[in-house]
């Protein structure tokens, strides 16, 4: 067979192998711990980012997007729950999960579209976990975990930028990412601000959120205003935060172009 006739069968074989390898790693995560767990999460990220032309099955993409929901504390209890025993490992786990989500959005965005609801929930879960870890860490622990937290915040910021750069794929879901950020950020600040003021992670996420705000359709932003208006006093806090973000976008980010 000539090389052109071999190209498609080879691609199918490689895709099948990649899918099997990802599912093997996912099945083995429950038995892994410590550095072994981190290594397997890094391997998953490598497979996702390597050769995006090798397609993964939809249910495999769904399992990958579900991983943060499985491994990180829930958004409802992240700020109010007790501190984890090993904060350093939790920070590293968060950084790995965020990097995996970034690879999925950047290299397999079109495949993630059919599991967009899981993507919205997964990003919300990583954002909640980031906020809870910032609340739990003492000043000394924060120095030890600074690299992992900054890595998680950096990749989360890049995720928001990637979502904004793919409006044809994620356009109708952008308002959900925006609303979850505003509500979780407001809740986090209510806990964290009296202790330390605005966190470093919040500052790192600002460019990505402003990019998301700029890419969000105007009709969806109007709908978000109406939703927040219906939430009473808490909704007024959300609206205030949304208006501040919009002002920052108009002043600092709207005319900068893509970096």
């Amino acid at each position: 067979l000539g090389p052109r006739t071999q190209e498609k069968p080879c691609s199918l074989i490689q895709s099948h192998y990649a899918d099997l390898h990802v599912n093997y790693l996912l099945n083995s995560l429950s038995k892994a711990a410590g550095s072994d767990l981190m290594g397997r999460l890094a391997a998953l990220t490598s497979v996702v980012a390597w050769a995006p032309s090798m397609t993964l099955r939809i249910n495999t993409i769904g399992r990958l997007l579900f991983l943060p929901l499985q491994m990180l504390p829930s958004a409802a209890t992240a700020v109010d729950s007790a501190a984890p025993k090993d904060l350093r490992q939790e920070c590293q786990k968060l950084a790995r999960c965020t990097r995996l989500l970034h690879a999925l959005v950047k290299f397999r965005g079109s495949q993630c579209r059919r599991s967009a609801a899981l993507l919205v929930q997964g990003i919300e879960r990583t954002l909640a976990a980031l906020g809870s870890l910032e609340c739990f860490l003492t000043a000394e622990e924060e120095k030890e975990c600074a690299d992992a937290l900054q890595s998680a915040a950096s990749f989360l910021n890049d995720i928001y930028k990637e979502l904004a750069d793919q409006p044809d794929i994620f356009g109708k879901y952008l308002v959900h990412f925006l609303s979850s950020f505003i509500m979780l950020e407001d809740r986090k600040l209510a806990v964290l601000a009296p202790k330390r003021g605005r966190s470093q992670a919040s500052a790192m996420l600002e460019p990505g959120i402003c990019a998301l705000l700029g890419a969000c359709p105007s009709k969806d932003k109007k709908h978000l205003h109406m939703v927040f208006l219906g939430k009473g006093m808490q909704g007024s806090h959300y609206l205030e935060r949304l208006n501040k973000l919009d002002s920052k976008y108009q002043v600092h980010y709207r005319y900068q172009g893509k970096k």
Side-chain angles (χ1 to χ4, degrees):
L1 295 175
R4 289 189 179 182
T5 56
Q6 286 182 335
E7 186 176 348
K8 188 173 181 180
C10 285
S11 178
L12 290 173
I13 292 170
Q14 289 173 340
S15 297
H16 183 62
Y17 170 76
D19 194 88
L20 286 175
H21 188 45
V22 167
N23 278 283
Y24 167 77
L25 289 169
L26 287 169
N27 292 336
S28 66
L29 285 179
S30 59
K31 300 177 182 178
S35 59
D36 185 31
L37 176 62
M38 301 305 148
R40 290 173 190 270
L41 289 172
L44 283 171
T45 304
S46 297
V47 175
V48 168
W50 181 63
S53 59
M54 295 191 313
T55 58
L56 300 175
R57 291 184 300 167
I58 294 301
N59 62 330
T60 302
I61 294 291
R63 290 189 69 188
L64 288 167
L65 293 173
F66 184 72
L67 209 54
L69 300 172
Q70 183 180 349
M71 302 185 69
L72 301 175
S74 70
T77 60
V79 175
D80 303 323
S81 59
K85 293 181 180 179
D86 191 344
L87 284 169
R88 188 172 183 178
Q89 183 174 337
E90 289 300 314
C91 290
Q92 291 174 348
K93 190 194 300 182
L94 171 64
R96 295 289 186 183
C97 286
T98 311
R99 188 172 184 178
L100 175 61
L101 283 177
H102 174 258
L104 283 164
V105 173
K106 182 174 183 177
F107 297 106
R108 300 183 183 273
S110 58
Q111 290 182 269
C112 291
R113 184 178 186 175
R114 292 181 66 178
S115 303
L118 280 175
L119 180 61
V120 172
Q121 294 174 34
I123 292 176
E124 181 179 346
R125 183 67 60 90
T126 58
L127 185 62
L130 180 61
S132 70
L133 287 171
E134 284 187 302
C135 294
F136 290 138
L137 292 173
T138 63
E140 186 176 342
E141 290 171 332
E142 193 170 3
K143 291 179 182 178
E144 295 179 4
C145 303
D147 289 344
L149 286 178
Q150 288 178 12
S151 175
S154 177
F155 278 113
L156 196 52
N157 178 61
D158 290 342
I159 287 172
Y160 287 132
K161 289 182 179 179
E162 286 293 337
L163 291 168
D165 287 341
Q166 301 180 52
D168 293 341
I169 297 175
F170 297 111
K172 64 181 180 180
Y173 303 103
L174 297 181
V175 67
H176 299 292
F177 297 111
L178 184 61
S179 63
S180 65
F181 171 82
I182 290 171
M183 289 188 284
L184 284 171
E185 186 72 6
D186 187 80
R187 188 179 183 193
K188 183 183 77 172
L189 283 178
V191 176
L192 194 60
K195 301 177 183 177
R196 308 181 199 174
R198 192 185 186 205
S199 70
Q200 186 178 1
S202 297
M204 293 179 69
L205 291 175
E206 188 176 280
I209 288 297
C210 286
L212 199 68
L213 187 62
C216 189
S218 57
K219 64 176 183 178
D220 289 344
K221 285 189 281 190
K222 289 178 182 178
H223 176 71
L224 190 58
H225 271 85
M226 297 302 296
V227 170
F228 286 163
L229 281 172
K231 290 185 177 291
M233 184 63 69
Q234 192 65 38
S236 65
H237 293 164
Y238 297 156
L239 274 176
E240 182 182 357
R241 191 156 303 284
L242 177 61
N243 291 331
K244 284 182 179 179
L245 283 172
D246 189 59
S247 297
K248 287 183 179 180
Y249 166 71
Q250 297 292 342
V251 174
H252 299 292
Y253 297 100
R254 184 175 183 180
Y255 301 107
Q256 280 189 352
K258 183 178 177 182
K259 291 186 177 180

